[in-house]
Amino acid sequence: MIYEDVSLDIPRGKITAVMGPSGTGKTTLLKLIAAQLYPDSGHIFVDGQDIHSLSRSDLYKVREKIGMLFQSGALFSDMSVFENVAFPLQEHTKFDASKIERIVLEKLHSVGLRGAAKLLPSELSGGMARRVALARAIALDPELVMFDEPFTGQDPISKGVLVELIRQLNDGSGITSIVVSHDVEESLSIADHVCILSGGHVIAQGAPSDIRASDDAQVKQFLNGEPDGPVPFHYPESVVDEQRSQR
Amino acid sequence: MMNSLISLGAGFLDWLEAVGRAGIFIVQSLVRLPVRLGESINLLIRQLYSVGVLSLVIIIVSGTFIGMVLSLQGYSILAKFGSSGSVGQLLALSLLRELGPVVTALLFAGRAGSSLTAEIGLMKATEQLSSYEMMGVDPLRRVIAPRFIAGVISLPLLSFVFSAAGIIGGMLVSVGWLGVSDGSFWSLMQQSVNFDTDVINGLIKAVVFAVVVTWIAVYQGYECVPTSEGIGKATTRTVVLGSLAILALDFILTAAMFGDF
Amino acid sequence: MRSKRVELLVGCFIVLGVVAFVYLAIQVSGLAFTGKKDTYQVVAEFDDIGGLTDRSKVTIAGVTVGHVVSISYDKKLYMAKVTMAIDSDVNNIPVDSSIAILTSGLLGEKYLGITIGADEKVLKNGSQIYDTQSALVLENLISQFLFNKTSQSDSKK
């Protein structure tokens, strides 16, 4: 049981940041939206369609319009950077090789890695890998891009580059973006709409300025990074006992 | 008493469920047909390389040595009965019927099976499998099917190479070193080895082992817990389960083929 | 490039596997790909076939000219009926030839040996060889030998 009565709207054409402490199921939310996981109850509508009631082939068609940037980048380790970005194009379009090459180089250029096209994923730094993954996620010009913890484990420069790229992407082509993160500053700086999850509930929703102005104790604790508060510093012992007795 | 019965029943049901899931898994990955033939062949070739070609060295070396040892051992016993010429017969029958398929399959489980599991497990841990799914590409078809097919093609070929290497190695020792006559080595071998019962039955065994070992390897990789510990455990399970399955199936197949009942 | 090398090696691997298979088939199991030779069938009945089996070879002067096709029990005569296929180019075996069950070496496999007779007529498809000599059974030989010994020592007294 991860969520209780979670209900949220992702506005089209804007950047929505979903934030919350670790372990509140932010990644699970993305997997639910992409129908990689199925909910026990409830519905998720993507572009007006109940995504969990679609047939396999319809689902795959919807997914062509969704790009996802995984936490680890998830570049295919047996393909070069170029082949990685070209892969979704080869799978889902009937473009000829020269057109694919043009699109791939253009996408790589937009993330600043045109020169790295021939490298293998193992030869890239973490920040570069994430940028390649971003290029791959937008190769098919999706309507919705989901970013799973894009800033985690990045140095400040890479973070800045990624923030800039996500911003540009949204401004340039009006893509709907969902950014899942617990990096408060970066998220608030790019988001048009913020939603904070905690303990299975949506505890705050609104524009970044509203969130900053919130006087909810939980929201304040999360934004300011206070060690103790409504989310206790001490892990409750009763939970452990309960989990053990269930086994 | 009640509890142990319950846990026995639960264990059996769990096992059945796992077998069922593995069955559905492999059928799904084979049934969902490839979109483009050329690309599938490309993927298959890459897997044939990593599963087959990279296993060649260990297969040839072990085959040669096993053939040489068999000759030495066989010769010392057969010489007591004055029929050292039959060493070729001993060598060919034991290699074709048993050692070729079985030892090749065991080595294959250790060399190729474990690396398949680890590779797929790593793809799962680094979210590459989810990534395929997100791009609307079925990872069963794209990742599992070519690896499975490559395994099923490679193992029988490797088993022939193993047997041939063993016979050549055995010939070097018995003819070249122990002084068995060239003519009786080959003619006694050819008289006793029968194409249908020996070569073909060895091939059947190799194909069965290939299906089982590769199946276990890809399934363990796909179902593993996506952490470094989980991948390690899954790799171990591939080798252990694979080896046990090979030996148990070998008994059943041998009884069916040569048991005469 | 890289993939060309991979393709080449995979090609070599498959060729090697097939070559090994053909080697096992021809050199080791002695399979001949000359196709089915034309044969004709000849029958012979034996008192005792010993360890003769299907596919045992049939020889003349030590050279293989055919093989046993089937062995069955003839209920009327209480004998073993052996059907063999003989290569059709060996078409001059006289009808009064005799056939014996022989053993290669002391403990080797059983095979059939035809000793040529003198008749003008030759064996055809479906002919029978009447002059047969059963397998030597080791136990019988030994008991005969012992029996002779005892009778010899009896007569000396």
Side-chain angles (χ1 to χ4, degrees), chain B residues 5-59:
Chain B
L5 270 182
I6 287 170
S7 64
L8 179 72
F12 180 69
L13 288 177
D14 283 351
W15 180 78
L16 266 188
E17 196 188 324
V19 171
R21 254 208 318 269
I24 292 169
F25 161 79
I26 208 70
V27 169
Q28 277 186 342
S29 57
L30 292 179
V31 163
R32 289 186 201 149
L33 283 172
V35 183
R36 281 168 298 149
L37 194 66
E39 188 211 4
S40 312
I41 289 174
N42 250 336
L43 286 172
L44 182 62
I45 285 179
R46 219 182 290 180
Q47 290 312 318
L48 276 174
Y49 176 76
S50 65
V51 169
V53 175
L54 294 183
S55 306
L56 259 183
V57 173
I58 186 176
I59 291 296

Side-chain angles (χ1 to χ4, degrees), chain A residues 191-211:
Chain A
D192 301 309
H193 184 79
V194 178
C195 163
I196 300 184
L197 280 174
S198 180
H201 300 277
V202 179
I203 57 168
Q205 214 174 156
S209 51
D210 300 343
I211 299 289

Side-chain angles (χ1 to χ4, degrees), chain B residues 83-128:
Chain B
S83 53
S84 55
S86 310
V87 69
Q89 177 180 345
L90 170 97
L91 192 67
L93 286 182
S94 46
L95 277 171
L96 287 174
R97 289 181 175 181
E98 284 299 328
L99 294 174
V102 173
V103 177
T104 308
L106 290 175
L107 291 171
F108 185 84
R111 169 66 186 75
S114 59
S115 81
L116 279 179
T117 306
E119 191 192 7
I120 297 171
L122 203 64
M123 292 176 97
K124 188 178 183 185
T126 54
E127 294 172 306
Q128 292 182 43

Side-chain angles (χ1 to χ4, degrees), chain A residues 34 36 56 60 63 66 68 70-72 74-79 87 90-92 136, chain B residues 32 36 39 46 125-128 130-139 141-142 147:
Chain A
Q36 285 194 334
R56 199 180 173 78
Y60 274 18
R63 282 189 185 159
I66 304 178
M68 179 148 175
F70 284 88
Q71 205 164 339
S72 54
L75 295 177
F76 302 130
S77 43
D78 54 347
M79 300 180 197
F87 180 72
Q90 288 166 344
E91 278 295 319
H92 295 300
R136 188 179 66 178
Chain B
R32 289 186 201 149
R36 281 168 298 149
E39 188 211 4
R46 219 182 290 180
T126 54
E127 294 172 306
Q128 292 182 43
S130 303
S131 196
Y132 279 121
E133 249 183 63
M134 273 309 302
M135 290 181 194
V137 174
D138 189 345
R141 158 177 86 70
R142 170 82 199 187
R147 285 172 172 75

Side-chain angles (χ1 to χ4, degrees), chain A residues 139-216:
Chain A
L140 283 173
D141 292 324
E143 294 168 18
L144 168 66
V145 182
M146 302 195 282
F147 300 86
D148 188 5
E149 307 275 12
F151 310 119
T152 312
Q154 299 292 319
D155 61 63
I157 302 174
S158 305
K159 272 190 198 175
V161 170
L162 282 166
V163 167
E164 193 53 38
L165 283 174
I166 295 172
R167 188 79 260 172
Q168 276 176 7
L169 207 62
N170 186 253
D171 293 345
S173 34
I175 293 175
T176 309
S177 308
I178 305 175
V179 180
V180 153
S181 175
H182 43 234
D183 289 271
V184 174
E185 278 315 312
E186 284 79 7
S187 307
L188 289 182
S189 70
I190 51 169
D192 301 309
H193 184 79
V194 178
C195 163
I196 300 184
L197 280 174
S198 180
H201 300 277
V202 179
I203 57 168
Q205 214 174 156
S209 51
D210 300 343
I211 299 289
R212 276 189 214 274
S214 168
D215 47 6
D216 185 285

Side-chain angles (χ1 to χ4, degrees), chain A residues 5-17:
Chain A
D5 294 335
V6 168
S7 169
L8 47 86
D9 298 313
I10 313 285
R12 190 186 290 268
K14 297 208 169 140
I15 301 178
T16 303

Side-chain angles (χ1 to χ4, degrees), chain A residues 188-246:
Chain A
L188 289 182
S189 70
I190 51 169
D192 301 309
H193 184 79
V194 178
C195 163
I196 300 184
L197 280 174
S198 180
H201 300 277
V202 179
I203 57 168
Q205 214 174 156
S209 51
D210 300 343
I211 299 289
R212 276 189 214 274
S214 168
D215 47 6
D216 185 285
Q218 269 183 297
V219 176
K220 272 187 158 173
Q221 188 198 357
F222 181 73
L223 291 187
N224 301 329
E226 291 156 5
D228 210 356
V231 177
F233 172 70
H234 292 285
Y235 191 75
E237 286 173 32
S238 58
V239 178
V240 177
D241 292 342
E242 199 179 308
Q243 282 175 348
R244 292 234 168 105
S245 65
Q246 276 172 356

